[in-house]
Amino acid sequence: MHRLTDVVPPGNAPAPLRVAVVGHTNTGKTSLLRTLARDASFGEVADSPSTTRHVEAAALLIDGKPVLALYDTPGLEDAVALRDYLERLDTPGERRDGLARLEQFLGTREASLRFEQEAKVLRQVLASDAALYVIDVRDPVLEKHRDELALLADCARPVLPVLNFVGAPNTRIPAWREALSRLALHAVVSFDTVAPPEDGDAQLFGKLATLLDAEAPRLQALVQDRQRHRVLRHEAASRVVAEMLIDVAALRMSSPPDDAASQQHEAKLREAVRSRERRCVDELLALYGFRAGDVAEQDLPDWQARLEHDLFSPEALTDMGVEVGKGVAAGAAAGAAVDLATGGLSLGAGTLVGAAVGGLWQTAERFGGRLLGQFRGLRELTVDDAILRLLALRQQWLMRALERRGHAAQQPLQRQAIVDDSLRKGPLPAPLREARSHPEWSTLASRHQDSTRRQSAITAMAVILQPGVSTDRENGT
Amino acid sequence: MTDAVPASPERHTVWLAETVRLSEARWGPYDDAQAVRTLRHSGLPAEALVRERQLMLARREGLDTLAKQWRDYAILLMLGTGVLAVLAGCGAALGALGDGSRPVNLFWALGGLLGLNTLMFVLWLASLLWRRPLGSLVSRVVIGLAGRLTRLPPLAAASERLAQRPSAAALLPHALIGLLSRAGITRWLAGTLGNLWWLLALVSALFTLVALLSTRRYGFVWETTLLGPDTFVALTQALGKLPAALGFAVPPPEAVRASGGAPLDAPIQVLWSNWLLGCLIVYGVLPRLLASVLCLAIVARRRARVALDMNAPAYAALRERLSATSAPLGVTDVAPATLDHAGGTASAYAGAGHANALAPGYAGREDEPGAHVLVGVELPPDHPWPPGAVPPSVIDAGTLDGRAARNALLEQFARQTPARAVIVCDASQTPDRGTVSLVVELAQGARQAQVCLQNLGDADRLNAWRERLLTLGLAPATLDTDPARALAWLANGSPDGAAASATANGA
């Protein structure tokens, strides 16, 4: 997401919609902007009054073009005294509407002295197309809030109240809804910047579209674009996790038979898995626009490596058969060519020889090292099934948590246990089993080789991971 | 609020008041609700009220320190020019007489001593006859100089504090010139300064002359190519008439005729010296002295005219506002105030006239001296009010929410200062500027006050409350967190005569 100080669209694209985010001090305006703009480094957030003192803008883009510019403003702190002062500006006998009085106020001296913050906010609202009035629903409804809304009403711009912190324990939502109704503000949005609802921003933009119905198409386009991005992110995240799982499943480390060396290699294996998981976590954080400090570190429990005995596992054999078959076919083809060249005098010997050589070649290439290792008595250490499942569950939890986390959240995520029966109890997913017999698929191995089969395995694994995340969403957790 | 206003020189008051008026005319009215409230109940006459209000605002804006700085700079400037005058006079005298190695050309010497002075004097006299006030020229010069002065580092630093805000300091010279020209003393003031300067220069020339003539041997001659000796005799006689009347000895005609060549011997030189000194005094010092005295007299007499023009519309409006007996809040329809003590919702509707916006707890007790008042500021309506049992000696002023209730209570405090006040605030809300300044104003409006913070849930917000209250000047000892203790303090020491023992330590 872009941060633009003056939002100028390229070429002759229409100017972006300008929306000012206003409200009483310390109600979460900057947090709302962070959440909507998906930018955790926007502005400054602290639980104290007057944190924001300037007007800062962020633009929401569709295909790189700014569509909506959100302006973060300092909080309104002294609306009561300001309304008193505005009344004094009226000369007796002259009736003016609120907007004219506000414009006169903005030219007076007190607008740059005592009411400097309020003047900034009002100037921004007057320069925008609409205003979002953010309310902390834990606060009681007081006269000063009504005074603030009266000032905003004077600005002659549509105002959409946003009820923030609706998820907190001690809220006064009914009182606020009633107070807003009495002020003829019936379109209200519920939000919570700590744990934003899934479609929170869709709701917000939708209600904004009803207030600014001339701009409804653009806002609808924005909502759809954000949904599209959400889906793309989800798919990309699944791929990241799938790749990590394939890498770990395929990882194989051979060690000499004695225990001391074996333990050393086991430690190296654990370290490799740990760093691979960390890399996956970093990639996920970057994908969702978060930073390293947003997840509390928690390493895998210590585990024992598994000794790979099944050089000749069914999959391995099938695989070997396929590969050898390929080699045989290729060899046979070459031999057949030689046969033809000799005019059939070799009586098909060339084909046979070619097939044999081809097959052996493939075997030696693929399995030679391992066979040799087996003969030498080397052990092969791999990652246990349980660890693979655990990794999958952990990353699934992380994906879910990151999708739901707002960019204004301050506390890091703490890992929790999750339940996914299919991953926990059923057999190991097919792509992972396949990966076990392809040690060259692991990027952590020294002889890494990418192939289309590897990519298709990753895709298949990603598909398996996805339903686990979406069912949870349907359950509403 | 302080009752005593520190005294300031009369001229400064009027100057500062004018500056504030000009600034309000240009940039909109100041926010003076607090000042107005204090003044309305102070009992001064209308003009003094207006002056006091302007002074308070000027002090708030830091204009009085600036004005004093300007005055100090002006005095320094004058001293500097005085030194210049003395040096100029000495230089003129030295130049006129030379070092005595050559004979002194009499009329050159006289011309050098008196020529420029006489020319300027004649010009000044001519300017007096000029009908059109020269104030505009003077003011342009002064304002240009003032503008350059404000860029000097100390003054620039002073106005840096007001940077990015329209600086009323720039209006100080305008205000001064406006005042002076309205009183009609600009020209005479300028005349005083000019004449005094020349007087100083001439007197120092005189003294230098006397010193030189006493210590060196000079020979006075007159020289000419075109004119004859008779001209000089006539000239000497004419010029010497007045000095002779004052007692200076002048040379006789034969001596004059004889001085056309080489310098004569000593007695004639003495006569010539006398003549020279006499001319200097009579045609230089005396006119300037008389002119200075005249100008000073006129300035002194017209000094009283430098005052605020109370008929100016701004002052007239202020006068009305300050001596009004009620505060108009913009609505004439009175809405009933509903207060419900049991269960704790207290509200006052916005827009009522001030008397009715006071809580019913005040009914009939508005004029009670030394009251003990309990008041809550913006407490949530669903919390119980009052926070404990309220004894009958204590006035329960309810919860303040909204302009009408606030202003009504502040008016009441200004009219009848309570002896003790306990102000209860909700510490779980964010302390904003308006609320904090209201709490501090209430606390400072009572003789003794305690601010009690309730609902301590959030440590961050409690600290924010403390910090903001202390920054605005609340004494730390008045901050408390125990409503029961505060109520006990309020109940004790009431006029019933209960012994005021220190129950503040009690639970």
Side-chain angles (χ1 to χ4, degrees):
Chain A
M1 290 300 152
H2 246 59
R3 189 170 312 141
L4 303 168
T5 41
D6 53 334
V7 185
V8 176
N12 50 2
L17 206 55
R18 286 165 305 186
V19 173
V21 179
V22 304
H24 195 63
T25 186
N26 206 21
T27 47
K29 300 179 285 299
T30 311
S31 299
L32 179 68
L33 243 143
R34 277 192 183 176
T35 312
L36 289 177
R38 301 186 58 84
D39 180 357
S41 56
F42 180 87
E44 215 186 295
V45 167
D47 181 19
S48 77
S50 273
T51 313
T52 311
R53 286 182 195 273
H54 51 247
V55 174
E56 203 179 338
L60 303 185
L61 314 170
I62 296 182
D63 296 334
K65 295 197 225 11
V67 167
L68 181 67
L70 292 165
Y71 291 88
D72 186 21
T73 60
L76 294 165
E77 283 196 66
D78 203 355
V80 180
L82 178 54
R83 286 200 77 200
D84 256 340
Y85 183 66
L86 284 175
E87 244 160 46
R88 272 197 58 206
L89 290 180
D90 270 342
T91 51
E94 185 188 341
R95 310 219 70 216
R96 273 184 297 187
D97 75 338
L99 186 58
R101 213 162 36 170
L102 269 184
E103 280 169 354
Q104 190 207 4
F105 155 70
L106 288 174
T108 63
R109 135 192 316 280
E110 291 293 346
S112 54
L113 291 178
R114 180 172 171 183
F115 299 117
E116 189 212 1
Q117 236 169 278
E118 284 75 20
K120 257 194 197 131
V121 176
L122 292 170
R123 261 189 219 113
Q124 186 52 55
V125 175
L126 287 174
S128 309
D129 301 306
L132 296 176
Y133 180 71
V134 182
I135 294 168
D136 182 347
V137 292
R138 301 171 297 189
D139 281 343
V141 184
L142 295 168
E143 272 300 317
K144 62 185 177 190
H145 298 117
R146 291 196 194 101
D147 283 337
E148 286 168 9
L149 285 165
L151 285 173
L152 288 176
D154 277 345
C155 291
R157 303 283 184 273
V159 175
L160 178 62
V162 177
L163 303 176
N164 204 0
F165 298 111
V166 292
N170 45 345
T171 60
R172 296 183 163 98
I173 300 181
W176 274 105
R177 282 191 181 269
E178 196 208 324
L180 290 169
S181 288
R182 291 173 92 158
L183 293 166
L185 293 164
H186 300 288
V188 172
V189 175
S190 289
F191 213 80
D192 193 324
T193 49
V194 176
E198 285 274 359
D199 56 346
D201 51 351
Q203 229 196 76
L204 201 149
F205 295 132
K207 294 214 177 152
L208 199 58
T210 62
L211 286 180
L212 288 169
D213 52 24
E215 305 289 345
R218 271 211 282 189
L219 287 166
Q220 288 300 333
L222 186 67
V223 169
Q224 278 161 8
D225 188 67
R226 285 167 79 92
Q227 177 61 21
R228 191 170 58 92
H229 276 283
R230 196 172 304 138
V231 170
L232 286 175
R233 259 197 307 266
H234 184 62
E235 284 170 6
S238 309
R239 277 197 70 87
V240 166
V241 176
E243 190 165 348
M244 186 225 10
L245 288 173
I246 298 279
D247 275 352
V248 172
L251 183 59
R252 202 181 275 266
M253 218 171 262
S254 43
S255 94
D258 67 279
D259 282 331
S262 194
Q263 284 201 351
Q264 217 180 26
H265 281 82
E266 224 177 285
K268 276 209 306 199
L269 188 70
R270 279 200 284 267
E271 185 51 43
V273 170
R274 199 172 295 147
S275 65
R276 184 62 183 87
E277 196 206 4
R278 231 175 270 147
R279 204 177 85 193
C280 173
V281 168
D282 287 342
E283 279 175 27
L284 282 179
L285 287 173
L287 188 64
Y288 281 95
F290 290 104
R291 293 169 293 194
D294 282 311
V295 181
E297 269 303 315
Q298 199 195 53
D299 276 332
L300 289 167
D302 264 343
W303 45 272
Q304 295 277 35
R306 193 187 93 187
L307 294 178
E308 178 65 54
H309 289 304
D310 42 357
L311 181 64
F312 302 106
S313 61
E315 284 84 13
L317 284 174
T318 332
D319 206 42
M320 202 187 336
V322 172
E323 292 291 310
V324 170
K326 273 202 239 163
V328 163
V338 170
D339 272 342
L340 276 174
T342 58
L345 288 176
S346 49
L347 298 173
T351 321
L352 280 172
V353 169
V357 167
L360 274 177
W361 196 316
Q362 275 292 84
T363 319
E365 203 179 41
R366 295 268 334 265
F367 300 102
R370 292 172 65 189
L371 282 169
L372 210 57
Q374 287 266 327
F375 286 138
R376 272 202 258 143
L378 288 176
R379 291 193 199 161
E380 297 212 312
L381 303 171
T382 58
V383 180
D384 200 20
D385 274 10
I387 298 298
L388 283 175
R389 284 189 222 274
L390 184 61
L391 281 174
L393 289 172
R394 277 159 70 103
Q395 300 336 306
Q396 265 193 336
W397 171 85
L398 185 62
M399 271 167 56
R400 215 170 307 168
L402 288 178
E403 251 167 43
R404 281 204 298 247
R405 183 176 168 88
H407 283 75
Q410 306 276 67
Q411 305 298 325
L413 284 167
Q414 299 289 339
R415 286 189 186 273
Q416 293 162 14
I418 48 165
V419 178
D420 186 345
D421 285 339
S422 58
L423 272 185
R424 208 177 268 252
K425 291 198 189 128
L428 202 64
L432 291 184
R433 274 181 280 143
E434 200 183 333
R436 280 206 185 282
S437 41
H438 289 269
E440 74 280 0
W441 279 5
S442 172
T443 51
L444 305 164
S446 43
R447 285 186 307 157
H448 168 65
Q449 240 179 39
D450 202 2
S451 58
T452 39
R453 283 192 66 191
R454 177 170 179 271
Q455 290 301 323
S456 54
I458 293 177
T459 315
M461 190 66 220
V463 168
I464 295 174
L465 284 171
Q466 277 184 6
V469 183
S470 52
T471 41
D472 236 9
R473 204 187 305 158
E474 280 152 22
N475 293 344
T477 47
Chain B
M1 285 291 115
T2 53
D3 304 313
V5 171
S8 40
E10 186 58 36
R11 316 174 225 129
H12 277 191
T13 316
V14 174
W15 183 17
L16 292 173
E18 266 302 292
T19 315
V20 170
R21 179 182 76 87
L22 283 179
S23 140
E24 284 198 317
R26 188 177 290 210
W27 291 308
Y30 277 99
D31 177 43
D32 57 357
Q34 229 177 18
V36 165
R37 254 197 295 272
T38 332
L39 288 174
R40 228 190 266 133
H41 298 288
S42 60
L44 294 170
E47 293 201 10
L49 280 178
V50 170
R51 252 206 305 274
E52 278 310 311
R53 177 220 182 237
Q54 306 286 76
L55 257 187
M56 275 182 178
L57 288 172
R59 235 173 262 134
R60 195 177 78 183
E61 298 292 309
L63 290 173
D64 54 342
T65 38
L66 266 176
K68 217 171 84 58
Q69 270 178 340
W70 278 43
R71 191 165 140 263
D72 294 340
Y73 277 120
I75 291 179
L76 271 178
L77 205 65
M78 279 205 285
L79 284 175
T81 40
V83 169
L84 260 178
V86 168
L87 289 175
C90 296
L94 276 170
L97 289 191
D99 57 356
S101 52
R102 300 169 35 153
V104 181
N105 188 332
L106 270 169
F107 291 93
W108 268 122
L110 198 61
L113 287 168
L114 289 179
L116 192 60
N117 166 58
T118 319
L119 183 65
M120 300 306 291
F121 194 63
V122 166
L123 279 177
W124 179 70
L125 283 175
S127 81
L128 284 187
L129 299 171
W130 209 258
R131 276 302 146 207
R132 217 175 37 183
L134 283 177
S136 55
L137 180 66
V138 179
S139 58
R140 261 185 283 141
V141 166
V142 170
I143 286 166
L145 202 61
R148 285 203 193 101
L149 270 180
T150 43
R151 278 183 227 129
L152 281 180
L155 283 174
S159 54
E160 262 297 302
R161 276 184 286 110
L162 307 166
Q164 291 167 11
R165 302 166 175 186
S167 171
L171 289 173
L172 276 170
H174 286 273
L176 188 61
I177 299 297
L179 272 176
L180 294 177
S181 53
R182 228 195 359 256
I185 62 175
T186 333
R187 165 195 311 219
W188 299 109
L189 207 55
T192 317
L193 291 171
N195 282 319
L196 280 176
W197 192 88
W198 277 109
L199 187 63
L200 197 57
L202 287 170
V203 164
S204 70
L206 185 66
F207 278 118
T208 320
L209 216 56
V210 168
L212 284 174
L213 289 171
S214 316
T215 51
R216 284 204 183 143
R217 192 173 310 135
Y218 286 103
F220 292 103
V221 293
W222 50 264
E223 297 168 15
T224 182
T225 320
L226 281 179
L227 304 168
D230 289 327
T231 327
F232 285 95
V233 175
L235 207 54
T236 317
Q237 299 296 80
L239 286 174
K241 219 178 287 188
L242 279 175
L246 285 175
F248 287 92
V250 286
E254 315 78 47
V256 176
R257 225 177 287 268
S259 304
L264 302 175
D265 46 347
I268 314 291
Q269 306 306 336
V270 173
L271 289 176
W272 274 124
S273 317
N274 277 342
W275 179 85
L276 199 60
L277 287 172
C279 283
L280 183 61
I281 291 179
V282 169
Y283 299 113
V285 176
L286 274 181
R288 286 290 182 182
L289 186 63
L290 288 172
S292 313
V293 168
L294 179 71
C295 289
L296 269 174
I298 295 183
V299 167
R301 220 173 40 159
R302 291 193 182 177
R303 245 265 292 267
R305 287 201 212 168
V306 177
L308 295 179
D309 179 14
M310 277 304 171
N311 293 326
Y315 289 134
L318 272 176
R319 211 177 28 207
E320 291 307 305
R321 244 180 98 214
L322 287 169
S323 43
T325 49
S326 66
L329 287 174
V331 176
T332 49
D333 243 331
V334 169
T338 51
L339 277 175
D340 183 23
H341 279 279
T345 50
S347 70
Y349 281 73
H354 103 277
N356 294 41
L358 269 185
Y362 253 111
R365 298 173 77 173
E366 282 132 10
D367 295 315
E368 196 181 292
H372 289 221
V373 181
L374 173 70
V375 63
V377 170
E378 288 179 357
L379 297 177
D382 48 16
H383 276 150
W385 176 264
V390 178
S393 57
V394 168
I395 298 180
D396 179 359
T399 307
L400 292 185
D401 186 16
R403 278 184 292 156
R406 281 190 188 194
N407 292 337
L409 192 65
L410 287 168
E411 279 284 325
Q412 177 59 31
F413 272 30
R415 200 156 54 149
Q416 273 289 357
T417 314
R420 289 191 179 192
V422 165
I423 303 151
V424 183
C425 312
D426 182 8
S428 66
Q429 292 176 41
T430 310
D432 60 42
R433 203 174 67 231
T435 313
V436 170
S437 55
L438 172 66
V439 169
V440 172
E441 207 182 328
L442 284 171
Q444 289 173 345
R447 266 195 283 265
Q448 279 183 308
Q450 283 265 335
V451 174
C452 189
L453 297 171
Q454 260 187 345
N455 284 345
L456 319 164
D458 199 333
D460 280 335
R461 292 201 176 169
L462 182 60
N463 284 337
W465 270 101
R466 267 219 182 92
E467 206 184 294
R468 279 198 148 188
L469 284 170
L470 294 177
T471 313
L472 270 190
L474 196 68
T478 57
L479 212 51
D480 199 357
T481 52
D482 185 3
R485 191 165 52 197
L487 268 179
W489 172 80
L490 194 59
N492 268 4
S494 60
D496 299 348
S501 57
T503 43
N505 302 329

